[in-house]
Structures are given as structure tokens and as C-alpha cells.
């Protein structure tokens, strides 16, 4: 026992008192650590886990420069054009010869539901296309059933009937499969449809998604000039939702090929180091109806970006469009911290409608939703 205050204590009892005090202090310390541990386990850890669940994708995209290097730079070819300059001079400015007669041109696309953009594309390219080739499936890339939208609306495309090779393909509807496998399956089918359309060696073949629209003068240049690269990627101005929100000029997946039997395969990835500057427009998610936004978000190859059901709420989608923000609440897909930080936040509004597809401006009332200052969409 410990001695009372003011009394002499034998050394032995003093040791016992000291030991007992040490044990009490040690127990209080353990209890203190237990409380801190409990706070950490049941407070901090769940909060961090929930934060990673909500923003893990943003964190990984922001840290992308730490583990992924930027791709090899393109050999960018300057693009010369003015409507008052002859084709002979334009070809020579590019270092190319001039042909006695133009090459035939085939424009081939996989179609989902982009009716308005398809119309703009075909109206823009119509004067220079030998054959339009369109393949439509009753399946999305994610294996969801879809109607044959083009077939149901073919009447509005009668102006290309005499030059159209149209085909359909049944989906495989394999649940849980990587969407890029279904996409590749449909692109192989498009190769066969091109042969049915009559493409031959040295014809030009445009490989691009419907919303990647080469400018008419670009295609006219390539069909008249000799010695153009056998595979040439097209640098397109990158727009989101409409021609009000210009992201950058870094869209490059569209390409033009001088067709070679047994060699040319329809694809949507990098196939060459040559890139022709300022060759058209890429207008992504440029739909008239909110329902079309929802359909594409669920249907295209990157549907895994729809991480939460509220992303598909029509009111949210409308707000995002008018702000120029990201539908999937993602950070920019860039390779340096400078580029990521520079593109964070909403896209600035642009009020320029200069050098856009001619048919768009000729029919501005019909396509008002694609022009600056008209972000509201039809909610059907």
C-alpha cells in the first residue's frame, strides 16, 4: 500500500507505490491509444475510403503523368487553303504533285444514333464522295439492344441514295464482355461492306467516327493531289456538346487511306505518324435531345465512366451542357500536370461561328442547338 502524505514510508512500500502509479499511468495510456485507434479505424479510414470511392478516378487521372509517357509526336503537315487559290498551287504548296483526274473517295462509318451530325457530315462531303458506306447494328458496343435508327429515318437521306451502300449486322449480346471487342467485330464487318461497295486499290478511304467530320476542301485536296502519304491522320478541332465549346485542336483519330487490297483494315487508332493540320471538326456529344445523351452514355465503349446513376439525370445533364462541364465528372485525359491543370474546370464559351460546316450555317434555324448561345436541349 502507498503511505499517507507526511508519513515515513519504508523503501519497499515506496517501490510498491511507484509500481502501482506506473501501472495506472500505463493503463490510462493504453486507454488513450485505444480511443485514438478507434477514432482512426471507425472515423478516418471510412472517410478516406469513401473519398477514394467518390474521387478515385480523378486521383488516378491527375497522377497519370507519373506512370504514363505522352505518345510520340506527329509529323504535322501544314495545311494550305484559300478558295481563290487554284488546286495546282495548293498541291504544290504541300509538296505534292497534281493528278490529271481525281481519285475516287469512299466515306465509311459505323452508325449508332447521330442523325443530325450524320446529315451535316454527308452534306459537307457530298460533292467529293464516290460512295457513302454505312454499317448499323441492332446492338450497342456494350451489348444493349438498339433500334435500327438509320433504317427508320432513311427517308431524310434520300439525297445520297444513289451513292449509298448500307448494311446491317446483328449484335452478339454477350454480357460482361469488353465493349471494345464488339466494336472491333463491327469494324471488321465494315471491311466486308467496303468490298461490296466496290472500293479498289488507290481509292481514298475516310476512316472516322460519324462526329469526326473532315472539311470538304480537305478531301478535295487529297483526291486531286499526287504523292500524298498512304495513311494520313487528320487534325480536327475538338468541340463538346456544340460549336460553342471548343476544347482544343488535338483530335487525330480520323484518317484518310490510299486503299490497298488485303492490307487496309478499318480501324480507329493511330496508324501513321503523319498528321494534316486543321482538317475539320470533331463535335462530340452534339445531340439535339437529352435522351440521346443518356443513350450514348450507356451505350458507347467508355460506359464504365457512368459510375453513379445520378449522372444520367436529365436536369443534371442539361446543367452540365450549359456550363461546358464534364458529363462524367472526370479530369482531362492529358499526359503532363501543366496540361491537366490548364484544362481543369468548365470549357470557356466561344462565340465564333467562323469556318464551320457550310450546311450548318445555311440551315441555322434547324441546327440552332449546335451554334453559340443555344445550350438548351429538347427533353425527350
Amino acid at each position: 500500500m502507498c503511505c499517507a502524505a507526511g508519513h515515513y514510508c519504508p523503501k519497499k512500500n515506496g517501490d510498491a507505490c511507484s509500481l502501482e502509479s506506473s501501472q495506472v499511468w500505463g493503463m490510462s495510456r493504453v486507454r488513450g491509444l485505444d480511443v485514438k485507434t478507434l477514432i482512426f479505424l471507425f472515423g478516418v479510414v471510412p472517410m478516406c475510403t469513401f473519398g477514394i470511392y467518390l474521387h478515385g478516378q480523378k486521383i488516378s487521372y491527375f497522377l497519370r503523368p507519373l506512370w504514363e509517357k505522352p505518345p510520340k509526336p506527329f509529323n504535322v503537315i501544314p495545311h494550305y487553303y484559300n478558295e481563290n487559290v487554284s488546286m495546282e498551287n495548293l498541291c504544290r504548296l504541300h509538296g505534292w504533285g497534281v493528278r490529271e483526274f481525281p481519285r475516287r473517295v469512299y466515306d465509311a462509318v459505323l452508325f449508332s444514333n447521330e442523325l443530325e451530325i450524320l446529315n451535316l457530315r454527308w452534306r459537307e462531303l457530298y460533292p467529293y464522295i464516290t460512295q457513302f458506306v454505312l454499317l448499323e447494328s441492332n446492338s450497342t458496343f456494350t451489348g444493349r439492344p438498339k433500334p435500327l435508327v438509320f433504317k427508320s429515318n432513311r427517308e431524310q437521306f434520300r439525297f445520297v441514295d444513289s451513292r449509298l451502300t448500307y448494311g446491317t449486322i446483328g449484335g452478339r449480346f454477350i454480357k460482361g464482355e469488353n465493349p471494345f471487342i464488339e466494336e472491333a467485330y463491327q469494324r471488321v464487318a465494315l471491311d466486308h461492306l467496303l468490298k461490296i461497295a466496290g472500293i479498289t486499290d488507290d481509292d481514298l478511304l475516310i476512316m472516322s467516327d460519324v462526329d469526326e467530320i473532315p472539311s470538304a476542301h480537305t478531301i478535295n485536296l487529297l483526291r486531286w493531289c499526287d504523292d500524298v502519304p498512304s495513311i494520313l491522320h487528320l487534325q480536327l478541332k475538338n468541340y463538346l456538346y456544340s460549336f460553342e465549346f471548343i476544347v482544343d485542336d488535338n483530335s487525330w483519330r480520323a484518317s484518310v487511306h490510299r486503299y490497298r487490297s488485303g492490307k487496309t483494315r478499318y480501324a480507329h487508332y493511330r496508324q501513321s505518324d503523319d498528321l494534316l493540320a486543321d482538317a475539320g471538326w470533331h463535335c462530340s456529344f452534339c445531340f439535339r435531345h437529352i435522351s440521346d445523351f443518356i443513350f450514348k452514355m450507356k451505350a458507347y465503349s467508355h460506359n464504365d465512366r457512368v459510375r453513379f446513376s445520378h449522372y444520367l439525370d436529365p436536369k443534371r445533364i442539361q446543367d452540365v451542357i450549359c456550363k461546358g462541364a464534364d458529363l462524367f465528372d472526370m479530369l482531362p485525359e492529358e499526359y503532363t500536370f501543366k496540361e491537366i491543370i490548364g484544362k481543369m474546370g468548365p470549357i470557356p464559351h466561344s462565340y465564333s461561328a467562323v469556318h464551320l460546316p457550310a450546311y450548318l450555317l445555311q440551315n441555322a434555324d434547324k441546327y440552332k442547338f449546335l451554334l453559340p448561345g443555344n445550350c438548351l436541349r429538347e427533353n425527350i
Side-chain angles (χ1 to χ4, degrees):
M1 293 179 63
C2 291
C3 300
H7 290 80
Y8 170 77
C9 295
K11 187 173 182 182
K12 184 176 180 181
N13 284 348
D15 290 343
C17 181
S18 174
L19 179 62
E20 185 175 333
S21 298
S22 174
Q23 288 175 340
V24 170
W25 180 82
M27 289 177 64
S28 65
R29 184 183 178 192
V30 170
R31 288 195 188 100
L33 285 175
D34 285 345
V35 171
K36 291 177 182 178
T37 302
L38 290 174
I39 292 173
F40 180 78
L41 290 177
F42 295 102
V44 177
V45 171
M47 287 176 64
C48 291
T49 303
F50 185 64
I52 292 172
Y53 172 70
L54 287 178
H55 303 292
Q57 191 176 56
K58 287 184 178 180
I59 295 170
S60 66
Y61 269 69
F62 186 77
L63 297 178
R64 184 182 188 183
L66 296 179
W67 63 74
E68 192 167 353
K69 294 181 179 180
K72 177 184 176 182
F74 279 99
N75 168 39
V76 182
I77 300 172
H79 189 169
Y80 301 93
Y81 173 73
N82 186 285
E83 60 184 7
N84 296 316
V85 178
S86 70
M87 188 57 66
E88 182 179 4
N89 282 341
L90 289 174
C91 289
R92 287 176 178 168
L93 282 168
H94 289 85
W96 302 327
V98 184
R99 296 172 55 87
E100 293 183 6
F101 54 88
R103 290 186 181 86
R104 302 194 308 168
V105 184
Y106 286 72
D107 180 40
V109 294
L110 292 175
F111 181 79
S112 179
N113 67 328
E114 312 95 328
L115 287 172
E116 286 86 7
I117 292 296
L118 179 67
N119 199 12
L120 287 180
R121 178 193 183 94
W122 282 359
R123 298 282 185 178
E124 174 73 15
L125 298 177
Y126 182 81
Y128 308 121
I129 302 299
T130 305
Q131 196 73 197
F132 295 96
V133 182
L134 184 145
L135 180 68
E136 182 174 28
S137 175
N138 65 346
S139 166
T140 67
F141 293 157
T142 54
R144 294 172 177 266
K146 65 172 281 292
L148 297 176
V149 178
F150 179 83
K151 186 176 183 179
S152 301
N153 292 273
R154 188 165 178 171
E155 186 67 19
Q156 65 179 276
F157 298 97
R158 289 181 63 186
F159 70 98
V160 301
D161 257 354
S162 62
R163 303 191 211 168
L164 176 62
T165 301
Y166 169 63
T168 60
I169 183 173
R172 296 171 305 133
F173 301 105
I174 300 176
K175 292 183 178 180
E177 185 181 61
N178 187 323
F180 289 99
I181 297 176
E182 177 67 27
E183 181 177 347
Y185 168 72
Q186 293 186 24
R187 293 191 189 280
V188 170
L190 191 51
D191 281 329
H192 294 294
L193 192 60
L194 277 163
K195 293 176 182 177
I196 294 171
I199 195 168
T200 57
D201 283 358
D202 209 41
D203 290 340
L204 290 185
L205 170 60
I206 303 172
M207 294 186 191
S208 68
D209 287 350
V210 172
D211 58 8
E212 298 168 335
I213 308 173
S215 60
H217 68 79
T218 296
I219 299 305
N220 195 33
L221 176 77
L222 296 177
R223 76 189 191 115
W224 270 108
C225 295
D226 223 349
D227 307 316
V228 300
S230 58
I231 301 175
L232 182 61
H233 282 276
L234 304 180
Q235 182 189 53
L236 309 179
K237 291 181 180 177
N238 225 351
Y239 294 88
L240 188 63
Y241 311 138
S242 72
F243 292 99
E244 178 174 354
F245 298 103
I246 181 167
V247 181
D248 53 36
D249 58 0
N250 296 333
S251 179
W252 55 263
R253 291 182 181 276
S255 58
V256 177
H257 299 239
R258 288 163 55 188
Y259 189 81
R260 295 175 61 197
S261 299
K263 298 288 186 180
T264 303
R265 294 286 182 269
Y266 197 97
H268 197 236
Y269 49 77
R270 182 164 174 170
Q271 303 175 72
S272 164
D273 292 334
D274 294 319
L275 180 71
L276 182 64
D278 198 7
W281 315 270
H282 180 190
C283 198
S284 186
F285 281 90
C286 291
F287 297 114
R288 182 189 300 274
H289 305 112
I290 294 293
S291 58
D292 291 326
F293 284 84
I294 296 172
F295 174 83
K296 181 169 181 177
M297 291 171 74
K298 295 191 294 185
Y300 84 140
S301 298
H302 295 288
N303 73 311
D304 59 309
R305 295 175 177 177
V306 184
R307 295 179 297 126
F308 307 105
S309 60
H310 76 272
Y311 282 10
L312 302 175
D313 177 65
K315 185 179 182 303
R316 175 191 176 271
I317 292 173
Q318 179 62 80
D319 290 342
V320 167
I321 294 169
C322 286
K323 290 176 182 176
D326 190 271
L327 282 170
F328 305 99
D329 194 25
M330 293 174 57
L331 290 182
E333 298 181 75
E334 299 295 343
Y335 295 93
T336 68
F337 291 116
K338 181 180 178 180
E339 290 172 327
I340 291 172
I341 294 171
K343 288 186 177 180
M344 288 176 66
I347 304 166
H349 295 258
S350 168
Y351 298 98
S352 171
V354 178
H355 301 306
L356 297 183
Y359 189 78
L360 169 62
L361 299 182
Q362 291 164 356
N363 297 269
D365 289 340
K366 180 179 179 181
Y367 293 100
K368 189 176 181 180
F369 69 99
L370 291 177
L371 295 172
N374 298 280
C375 68
L376 294 179
R377 296 299 195 266
E378 298 178 21
N379 193 13
I380 59 172

